[in-house]
Amino acid sequence: MQASFEAQPLSQVRLRWHKALLFAAAFLFGAALPHSADAQAPTFDLVLRNARIIDGSGKPAYRADVAIRGDTIARIASTITDPAVRIIDVGSHVVAPGFIDVHNHGRVGIFRLPTADNLVRQGVTTAIEGPDGSSPVPLAPFLQRLAALQKSINIGTFIGHGSVRERVMGGVNREALPEELGQMRALVEQGMKDGAFGLSSGLIYVPGKFAPTSELVELAKVVGRLGGHYQSHIRDEGGRIIEAVQEAIAIGEQAGVPTQITHHKAVAQPNWGKSVDTLRLISAARARGIDVTIDQYPYASTGASFPTYIPGWAQEGGLEATRSRLKDADLRAKIKTHTSRILRLGAARGDLTKVVLAQCTWDKTLAGKTLADIVRLRGSTVTVENGAEAVFWIIEQGACEAVTRDSLSEPDIERILKHPATMVASDGNIPGPIGDIVSGVPHPRSYGTFPRVLSYYVRERKVLKLEEAVHKMTSFPARRLGLNDRGAIREGMKADIVVFDPARVRDTATLDDPKQYPEGISIVTVNGEIVFENGAMTAVRPGRVLYGSAAGSKSKP
Ligand SMILES: [Zn+2]
């Protein structure tokens, strides 16, 4: 005899508990297991029946059943009738690998909300931290804390170039001395051996922007030797975007390391259309054998932090040093000229209503206000110069994150998304539960990135086929990270799975009301356990820390 539970609606109960019940029932009712309990054990823990499998490879969808045992996809067949602890008929919905977010800022948020609801509810099962040159240094204590945390998703990290440089040199604006470069090399190597997937850089931020290309080449070499890749927020995404893309390619070529241009975009109206040239450069480099890839978030509005409105020389030494420069009348005037120029010619194009405060840690009521609102609140008329003064005031108070609305063009977004070297990543974070005011009014990418690609760019705009889009969210990023056991629906792979209705999946997060979860996603499993079902997070926390290929290897003498 065979026993199985058909489509149990109990979402909060652990599979293990089901299994215990099954054994108890079999025992009490005299089922044939006098010698061995194993003889009666269900073959599988979970079977997803009537799946439309999109396996992540980009190949067409096909019908099958998927069986999971432990944390692994154990069997895929047209019909699976073996006993299972739980069988769910997914009613021809898509069964795809869980999405892998290769650029995520959830370092703080994962400890506040270890269920990472905003990611899981999008179908994300793995997030990679340490982007834009910023990570803990050293990584080991952070990774140990993460490993000890009971969490719903898998998480890994980069080692950040800016953080490494800061550790060795502070915030100075100069080239590294040979011994400093040696120390940075050692820290990057240690980061890789602690488990980083590669080196990230943020070359618009202090201190990353003070580093010459040669420094990045030297550090990227270390990463390449240890099987990692280089992911860069490039030096300029506006007027000098072409040169910045050329630099990222050159770093990959000279260091012999796979290189990735992260959240690729052409910012500010005069630069719209430049993705034609950047993609041409990238395609040409790939044709020469340089392993260049791209990631992208699917929104026309960008995120920014206020120090990026200040010239690099005025940021040398960090925020405190910037504040003391602003107290010097001559320096303040000089900085104001530059900041006004950025407000006029940069992403906002002189329109202060486009810069919307997302989160100010020192005054939560400011979230949702525009830079124009801040100017008015300070009793001034709305001009670019007064906007610069408002930027200074914000920097003097503390720090703020902001969203700059409509700073990108849809044709660029679609062109980049279509490119075969492009994968999808959110650039978002883990802002906390809905209703939480601490996280302010964040960029909607934290809540909607992956469903937005599936609904708007696949279903409505038909920029990608569904299978292509899933590939860009799963197998492609998994390959980039060297994760050989994730990112595909295949026997033997880890059971990170998302089930969604391709006709209904959609993002609902908007710029004005970003804290809204997507629709059309019914089940998410991480390492074989259901973390999301029937519209709710479950009680299990099966997430793991994922480590790069050099993790645990011994230092070279
Ligand atoms: Zn960035």
Side-chain angles (χ1 to χ4, degrees), residues 97-180:
F99 305 140
I100 297 172
D101 188 0
V102 296
H103 184 129
N104 191 283
H105 291 265
R107 187 191 312 164
V108 175
I110 188 72
F111 290 98
R112 289 184 56 225
L113 189 68
T115 45
D117 302 29
N118 63 301
L119 296 178
V120 168
R121 286 165 177 268
Q122 293 182 59
V124 173
T125 54
T126 294
I128 306 299
E129 230 292 324
D132 295 333
S134 170
S135 77
V137 179
L139 278 178
F142 168 66
L143 290 170
Q144 281 156 15
R145 276 178 67 218
L146 263 184
L149 182 73
Q150 306 263 301
K151 58 208 165 291
S152 297
I153 57 165
N154 303 313
I155 190 160
T157 188
F158 288 93
I159 178 85
H161 159 259
S163 302
V164 164
R165 190 178 220 266
E166 175 98 48
R167 172 55 71 96
V168 172
M169 301 172 61
V172 294
N173 181 8
R174 62 164 172 83
E175 290 192 20
L177 302 170
E179 58 268 32
E180 290 168 333

Side-chain angles (χ1 to χ4, degrees), residues 125-464:
T125 54
T126 294
I128 306 299
E129 230 292 324
D132 295 333
S134 170
S135 77
V137 179
L139 278 178
F142 168 66
L143 290 170
Q144 281 156 15
R145 276 178 67 218
L146 263 184
L149 182 73
Q150 306 263 301
K151 58 208 165 291
S152 297
I153 57 165
N154 303 313
I155 190 160
T157 188
F158 288 93
I159 178 85
H161 159 259
S163 302
V164 164
R165 190 178 220 266
E166 175 98 48
R167 172 55 71 96
V168 172
M169 301 172 61
V172 294
N173 181 8
R174 62 164 172 83
E175 290 192 20
L177 302 170
E179 58 268 32
E180 290 168 333
L181 191 56
Q183 288 169 38
M184 284 194 266
R185 255 196 226 106
L187 286 174
V188 170
E189 178 162 342
Q190 191 55 54
M192 291 300 291
K193 288 173 177 170
D194 288 343
F197 285 93
L199 179 72
S200 76
S201 73
L203 305 184
I204 67 155
Y205 301 111
V206 166
K209 71 193 305 172
F210 301 146
T213 307
S214 56
E215 175 179 318
L216 295 151
V217 169
E218 285 311 304
L219 299 177
K221 276 181 189 165
V222 176
V223 164
R225 181 162 56 74
L226 293 167
H229 71 287
Y230 171 73
Q231 186 197 75
S232 184
H233 179 149
I234 59 177
R235 216 175 275 274
D236 195 315
E237 297 180 319
R240 296 180 62 80
I241 188 175
I242 302 293
E243 293 87 335
V245 166
Q246 283 168 331
E247 182 189 31
I249 294 169
I251 290 166
E253 183 164 27
Q254 290 169 33
V257 63
T259 182
Q260 179 149 320
I261 294 160
T262 200
H263 51 54
H264 190 36
K265 55 186 174 293
V267 179
Q269 191 271 330
N271 304 307
W272 290 354
K274 287 188 178 173
S275 65
V276 172
D277 293 323
T278 62
L279 294 176
R280 193 179 293 140
L281 281 169
I282 290 162
S283 296
R286 287 168 63 82
R288 302 205 295 280
I290 304 164
D291 184 0
V292 193
T293 50
I294 303 164
D295 64 72
Q296 181 194 29
Y297 57 77
Y299 292 90
S301 298
T302 51
S305 59
F306 274 84
T308 55
Y309 288 99
I310 303 285
W313 61 263
Q315 290 186 63
E316 183 174 4
L319 209 52
E320 272 316 309
T322 305
R323 287 188 189 121
S324 60
R325 284 185 193 103
L326 288 171
K327 286 188 186 120
D328 178 306
D330 288 348
L331 285 175
R332 190 180 180 100
K334 248 178 150 176
I335 297 169
K336 190 167 170 179
T337 305
H338 182 103
T339 300
S340 301
R341 206 180 124 79
I342 293 179
L343 286 171
R344 194 173 286 117
L345 303 180
R349 303 301 297 162
D351 182 352
L352 304 190
T353 65
K354 284 193 168 180
V355 181
V356 185
L357 303 185
Q359 182 193 11
C360 303
T361 44
W362 42 279
D363 184 350
K364 289 164 190 55
T365 65
L366 294 180
K369 293 205 166 26
T370 69
L371 199 53
D373 293 333
I374 303 297
V375 171
R376 272 187 231 104
L377 281 173
R378 300 182 72 246
S380 308
T381 50
V382 180
T383 63
V384 163
E385 284 67 27
N386 288 338
E389 286 294 337
V391 168
F392 298 164
W393 177 76
I394 287 166
I395 286 170
E396 282 156 1
Q397 304 308 304
C400 278
E401 293 294 319
V403 171
T404 308
R405 295 194 172 191
D406 305 321
S407 46
L408 310 180
S409 84
E410 281 293 336
D412 279 325
I413 293 174
E414 295 192 359
R415 194 177 296 120
I416 293 168
L417 185 58
K418 245 189 161 88
H419 195 280
T422 302
M423 59 190 81
V424 177
S426 77
D427 193 19
N429 59 19
I430 301 171
I434 283 184
D436 156 51
I437 64 155
V438 177
S439 52
V441 187
H443 193 296
R445 63 195 176 197
S446 288
Y447 291 85
T449 289
F450 295 86
R452 180 167 172 78
V453 170
L454 298 175
S455 58
Y456 187 63
Y457 291 103
V458 172
R459 209 167 51 226
E460 285 184 44
R461 298 284 306 153
K462 300 188 180 3
V463 176
L464 298 173

